[in-house]
Amino acid sequence: MRLFKIDEDVRELLRYSRKYTKYQKTIFVFSPLLLAVGMIDPFLVRYLFDNIITKLNFSKLPLFVLIFFIVKAAERGLSILVNYNFLKCANVITYIEQNNLLKKISRLPIKKLKDNAAGTFLSRATSDVPQLAEAINTVIPGIVVNLVLLVMIGAVLLYFSWQLAIVVFLTVPLYTFSVNSFNKALKNSSTQEREKNGEIIEDLREDIEGAATVKKFVKEDYLTSKFERKANEWLKVKNKYSLIMQVIDDFLTFVRGISPIIVLSYGGFLVMKDTITLGTLIGFYNFMNWIYDPVRVISRFSVSLRTSVPVYKRIKEIYDMEEEADGNTEINNVEEVRYEDVYFSYDHTPILKDISFEIRNRQKLAIVGMSGSGKSTLVSLLPRYYEPERGSIRINDVEIRHAMVGSLRKRVIVVQQNDFIFNTSIRENITLGDEFSEEEFERAVKAACVDEFAESLDEKYETVVGANGSHLSDGQRQRIAIARAVIRKPELLVLDESTSGVDSKTEERIFEKLSEVCPTLIIISHRLSTIGKADEIIVMEEGRIVERGTHEELVNKDSAYKRIIRSQIFEK
């Protein structure tokens, strides 16, 4: 009789789990030995009653106790070995899956990273992966070991008394019935619970990050009520899932509870008829409940496997995401950049329209425009954070869609207004694990004016800056981000509002020093003093380039640039 039905989704998960069997060798080797040692129990019990107690042969009792002690000690020792390896294997699977998931996420296009909330990836890596690892770890060794155990227990029960064994065997289908009855509801409930759990984690992340902002407006009740609604939705589906699991558990316990009475009653009758001995009945009774353990485990395995399918699919969704496309042409230097009739839309909303311009080596280009004019999108296309919908972007006549992403981003670096700062030291945030000489490091921190504040800190460049640089000001974080770019000696450096948090005098010093170490610059800034120093200025409106020229050329005519200056709005 099949204890559970294997559908195609489960088969797919089983196929996926095969790659981890190499970590389960110890389980396969020592589990049968553990089972064999456990099988000695009913024989010892029968010998105790039939050969020692009923025959009053108590001289054999000390040896019996010693043998019993040795058997039990061996059983526990093997149990530690087997069960530890079960836990160890689950830990290894979690470790591998989380590493693989992070590697996959790191290979996704930036659009995918922005389209999916951080909490979505976080919940799948921290919650779904351990659950999947536990399921995978029981898929092959769990079912094999328990099927073998079921056969061995059945054989011992038949050996002791085929009549009593049949009574026990008749209760097994009830276990299968309980699983099949609730399987669909359990699967649906599990899917809903995982989805709500992901929403909870994302909401918590957002609430914690926005707590300071909420406190400024004395809206703590808004924060808590917003989370309470999400938490209440999760609570309902989680309670439903828990109820179904508990009903299954108690139904199995009910079946297990009525069987011993039937066996004792019928077994007592067989003892009185001299069909079996009292020792056989006691040994059988002592051992009969063992059969429910593998049945229960296999039944739970069936449930766990099915409820793990939605978890596996959630993780597989990430693995199935299309990775960032890479070209096969290496960019060796950046002599000229040319945009030709470039169009770009984001989620079917036009952002850039008919963009054409060029920037030459050692040129300083400024891009200005009102908020939403497409400035940041325009520079984000250059290192292939996004791909143009139409048109082309060329570096030295090489279409960048054919360029190797690694070589392109080493030579073209974009520093944005809120580049992420890791919760580590200033030095580590700048080097990101790469090896640089002290001279290169000093050159970068001086160019970005990081030295002006870092030298005054107790730990200087070894100061840990907190989560996303929380121990620093906006301007200090931005200077670290600029130093991170400068130390890598880009041939084209793009500063996208990346000095908005520093004062105008510091910004002037930064640009003066950057002119020496990064001769080719694209600047998006709101300060006239910075924009005015550019060799050429591009003015954007509604995704189009409407004007080009020097500061003097544009300011001396009735231009969009002049209107922007008058309004004093140079936002990203």
Side-chain angles (χ1 to χ4, degrees), residues 99-113 316-327 384-385 387 405 409:
N99 273 277
N100 289 344
L101 202 62
L102 182 59
K103 289 176 183 176
K104 175 66 182 186
I105 292 170
S106 71
R107 295 194 296 268
L108 295 178
I110 286 179
K111 185 178 185 301
K112 285 288 185 185
L113 298 177
K316 189 171 180 288
E317 279 178 11
I318 297 178
Y319 285 132
D320 288 344
M321 286 182 180
E322 187 175 351
E323 295 184 8
E324 190 171 45
D326 200 2
R384 290 184 60 192
Y385 295 163
E387 299 287 351
V405 171
R409 291 179 186 167

Side-chain angles (χ1 to χ4, degrees), residues 265-283:
S265 301
Y266 184 47
F269 171 76
L270 294 177
V271 170
M272 288 186 288
K273 295 279 290 182
D274 285 333
T275 305
I276 60 173
T277 65
L278 179 61
T280 298
L281 175 60
I282 300 299

Side-chain angles (χ1 to χ4, degrees), residues 105 108-122 124 202 205 317-318 321 346:
I105 292 170
L108 295 178
I110 286 179
K111 185 178 185 301
K112 285 288 185 185
L113 298 177
K114 290 189 174 182
D115 287 348
N116 291 274
T120 300
F121 292 126
L122 186 63
R124 297 186 192 192
E202 172 59 22
R205 181 196 63 80
E317 279 178 11
I318 297 178
M321 286 182 180
Y346 195 95

Side-chain angles (χ1 to χ4, degrees), residues 410-565:
K410 285 178 181 177
R411 287 161 178 78
V412 179
I413 297 181
V414 178
V415 183
Q416 295 175 317
Q417 184 177 10
N418 297 310
D419 273 356
F420 192 82
I421 301 298
F422 294 91
N423 186 18
T424 182
S425 69
I426 293 173
R427 183 182 297 275
E428 182 71 14
N429 265 292
I430 293 171
T431 63
L432 295 179
D434 289 335
E435 293 292 332
F436 295 102
S437 68
E438 194 60 29
E439 182 182 352
E440 290 174 312
F441 182 79
E442 289 292 335
R443 175 173 169 267
V445 296
K446 286 179 180 178
C449 294
V450 175
D451 59 323
E452 294 182 6
F453 71 87
E455 291 293 344
S456 64
L457 300 173
D458 291 339
E459 300 295 327
K460 298 189 179 345
Y461 296 110
E462 306 310 320
T463 301
V464 176
V465 300
N468 200 14
S470 58
H471 299 163
L472 304 173
S473 68
D474 288 345
Q476 289 170 339
R477 289 196 292 269
Q478 289 177 342
R479 282 184 265 180
I480 290 173
I482 293 172
R484 179 192 291 165
V486 170
I487 201 171
R488 287 166 172 79
K489 301 176 183 177
E491 295 180 36
L492 172 57
L493 179 63
V494 181
L495 300 178
D496 182 4
E497 295 281 14
S498 54
T499 55
S500 60
V502 303
D503 60 85
S504 57
K505 289 184 178 179
T506 303
E507 184 182 53
E508 278 195 48
R509 290 198 301 275
I510 290 173
F511 279 113
E512 284 175 8
K513 295 175 181 178
L514 287 180
S515 297
E516 300 172 7
V517 297
C518 299
T520 309
L521 285 171
I522 296 179
I523 305 160
I524 299 175
S525 177
H526 68 285
R527 290 194 176 107
L528 179 59
S529 59
T530 301
I531 298 301
K533 294 176 182 177
D535 301 319
E536 185 178 17
I537 298 170
I538 287 177
V539 183
M540 296 189 66
E541 283 186 356
E542 298 181 352
R544 296 182 184 274
I545 295 176
V546 294
E547 290 174 348
R548 294 175 61 176
T550 65
H551 171 72
E552 289 76 15
E553 290 171 346
L554 295 175
V555 82
N556 288 325
K557 64 180 181 179
D558 185 19
S559 63
Y561 176 69
K562 192 172 182 178
R563 292 194 299 273
I564 292 172
I565 291 175

Side-chain angles (χ1 to χ4, degrees), residues 370-405:
M370 304 291 279
S371 177
S373 60
K375 306 184 299 294
S376 294
T377 303
L378 181 123
V379 296
S380 294
L381 295 177
L382 188 51
R384 290 184 60 192
Y385 295 163
Y386 303 99
E387 299 287 351
E389 182 181 328
R390 282 169 28 209
S392 67
I393 303 172
R394 296 180 179 275
I395 295 179
N396 309 336
D397 292 328
V398 175
E399 166 61 67
I400 63 169
R401 73 177 73 238
H402 301 140
M404 296 171 65
V405 171

Side-chain angles (χ1 to χ4, degrees), residues 59 63 138 147 192 195 239 282 504:
S59 61
L63 180 59
T138 58
L147 282 174
Q192 293 173 11
E195 290 173 353
N239 284 342
I282 300 299
S504 57

